[in-house]
Amino acid sequence: MAQALWVVPLASLAWPTTSARAQDLPPWLEEAEIYPVLDRIADRYKIPTEWMAARLRFAKRQDRALELTNPPADAPVIPRSLKRMLSRNLDAKTVSEGRAFMKQHTKALNRMEAQSGVPGSIVAGIIGVETRYGRVKGSYPALDTLATLAFVGPRRQAFFQDELGALFALAYETNLPLDSVKSSFAGALGIPQFMPSSWRRWGLDADGSGRANLIESPVDAIASVGNFLAGHGWVRGLPTHLALTRPKEPLSEASKTLITVGLSAQSTVGQIEASGLLPTGHGLAANTPASLIELPEPDEPSVLWLATPNFFAIAQYNRSYLYAASVASLARAISA
């Protein structure tokens, strides 16, 4: 099963071959003047420009992906809410499926934890939030979607052009079948929803197939997510957070300086304890990096957590505190 995605020889794929630059690109790509970008990708990854252009001949513009990645300025804004996020990701079905996933893949999760220091429940939590344990991996054609965002999208074209290049590199190096691979509306791939550049950097072959197969192999996906978190500062044995009781009175100015909105810890446990917000007996060393974070509720005071480097490692996966809080909370629920 793990090798099924990769066994089709590249030469047998039903793609046209031509060295002519005046090949029949779709009108929407002809207008975008794609060749300077393809040439840069060719230089970076040593892929023939014509090879990439040939694979774009049948690309269809993904207008729905454009809409979802570029909502109108007057679109209604749904207030951010920790309770709403947790209700979406900690429903009974997701928790039950998470426990089943951990049981089914105990060996792979244990091996990943031994190698990376990341608990299996955290990796299962990420995969659960991202794709419901590989069940919902996206329905957008990956190549068409990234090409649309790279050449037509009004924002972040350089980012999506880089990701398109990484996708071409994956296909050129591993025979990833571009005519069938699906993604999210933003181009994220497979069981862990890695962007192509993350796949190339953090993807691991843990099942012995010879290639990191994040589309079909949960074992590879587990190892790759652990590898990503370890590479983003995960500290073995450290909790992700401590939930704090927010005082009824407003926070002091000194306490407010301990709150971060960034993606790394800016203070220490000792400093937070000295503020009076952290009760004693928590078990963390005073010099442990940490920051206070606020998790929003629209009609209530925000929830206050002490976040460690491991919380911020999860936030590097998806740059949202609510996302990281969902993962940490789901991890706790499925390991209970």
Side-chain angles (χ1 to χ4, degrees), residues 104-281:
Q104 181 180 359
H105 299 290
T106 298
K107 184 177 179 180
L109 288 165
N110 288 344
R111 183 170 62 242
M112 176 279 305
E113 183 169 352
Q115 292 172 346
S116 68
V118 181
S121 59
I122 292 290
V123 168
I126 285 178
I127 293 174
V129 171
E130 291 289 344
T131 61
R132 294 300 188 257
Y133 313 103
R135 180 165 48 83
V136 186
K137 292 181 284 192
S139 59
Y140 290 80
L143 176 62
D144 301 20
T145 298
L146 283 173
T148 299
L149 300 176
F151 296 120
V152 183
R155 298 188 304 116
R156 304 180 72 196
Q157 280 198 0
F159 168 79
F160 288 113
Q161 287 168 5
D162 285 345
E163 294 301 334
L164 177 64
L167 180 65
F168 276 132
L170 278 172
Y172 195 73
E173 296 162 354
T174 70
N175 286 1
L176 183 72
L178 291 178
D179 57 341
S180 60
V181 173
K182 303 297 184 182
S183 73
S184 73
F185 62 80
L189 303 167
I191 296 167
Q193 290 292 276
F194 274 11
M195 294 301 289
S197 61
S198 291
W199 182 331
R200 295 188 76 252
R201 181 171 184 182
W202 305 108
L204 294 178
D205 168 29
D207 63 7
S209 70
R211 297 176 178 87
N213 180 353
L214 304 188
I215 304 295
E216 294 180 327
S217 173
V219 174
D220 287 359
I222 287 166
S224 299
V225 173
N227 191 36
F228 178 97
L229 294 175
H232 284 83
W234 188 274
V235 180
R236 188 185 296 267
L238 195 65
T240 56
H241 68 281
L242 296 175
L244 305 180
T245 299
R246 192 180 189 99
K248 294 181 179 180
E249 63 275 9
L251 295 180
S252 68
E253 292 304 314
S255 295
K256 289 179 181 178
T257 65
L258 302 173
I259 298 173
T260 187
V261 294
L263 291 173
S264 63
Q266 300 297 314
S267 307
T268 66
V269 167
Q271 289 173 301
I272 295 172
E273 189 171 29
S275 74
L277 293 172
L278 178 62
T280 59

Side-chain angles (χ1 to χ4, degrees), residues 289-313:
S291 280
L292 297 179
I293 61 167
E294 293 186 298
L295 300 166
E297 291 296 348
D299 301 316
E300 304 172 19
S302 58
V303 176
L304 199 62
W305 280 11
L306 177 151
T308 73
N310 290 351
F311 181 92
F312 294 109

Side-chain angles (χ1 to χ4, degrees), residues 13-129:
L13 297 176
W15 294 104
T17 58
T18 178
S19 60
R21 289 220 158 184
Q23 51 190 310
D24 297 326
L25 290 173
W28 65 278
L29 283 177
E30 287 182 355
E31 296 170 1
E33 299 183 357
I34 68 172
Y35 280 104
V37 175
L38 296 187
D39 287 339
R40 289 198 298 272
I41 295 171
D43 289 341
R44 179 174 183 180
Y45 295 110
K46 310 308 177 188
I47 303 171
T49 297
E50 289 74 19
W51 185 91
M52 293 181 282
R55 278 138 190 85
L56 290 170
R57 284 185 63 185
F58 302 104
K60 296 180 180 178
R61 175 173 160 145
Q62 299 297 305
D63 287 323
R64 181 57 177 159
L66 280 175
E67 293 172 4
L68 290 171
T69 53
N70 300 280
D74 59 352
V77 177
I78 299 175
R80 296 182 304 142
S81 164
L82 176 62
K83 290 180 180 177
R84 185 183 301 113
M85 193 75 164
L86 295 183
S87 68
R88 182 187 309 158
N89 289 309
L90 269 73
D91 60 284
K93 182 178 180 181
T94 302
V95 172
S96 176
E97 288 179 344
R99 290 170 178 163
F101 181 87
M102 290 189 67
K103 183 177 181 179
Q104 181 180 359
H105 299 290
T106 298
K107 184 177 179 180
L109 288 165
N110 288 344
R111 183 170 62 242
M112 176 279 305
E113 183 169 352
Q115 292 172 346
S116 68
V118 181
S121 59
I122 292 290
V123 168
I126 285 178
I127 293 174
V129 171

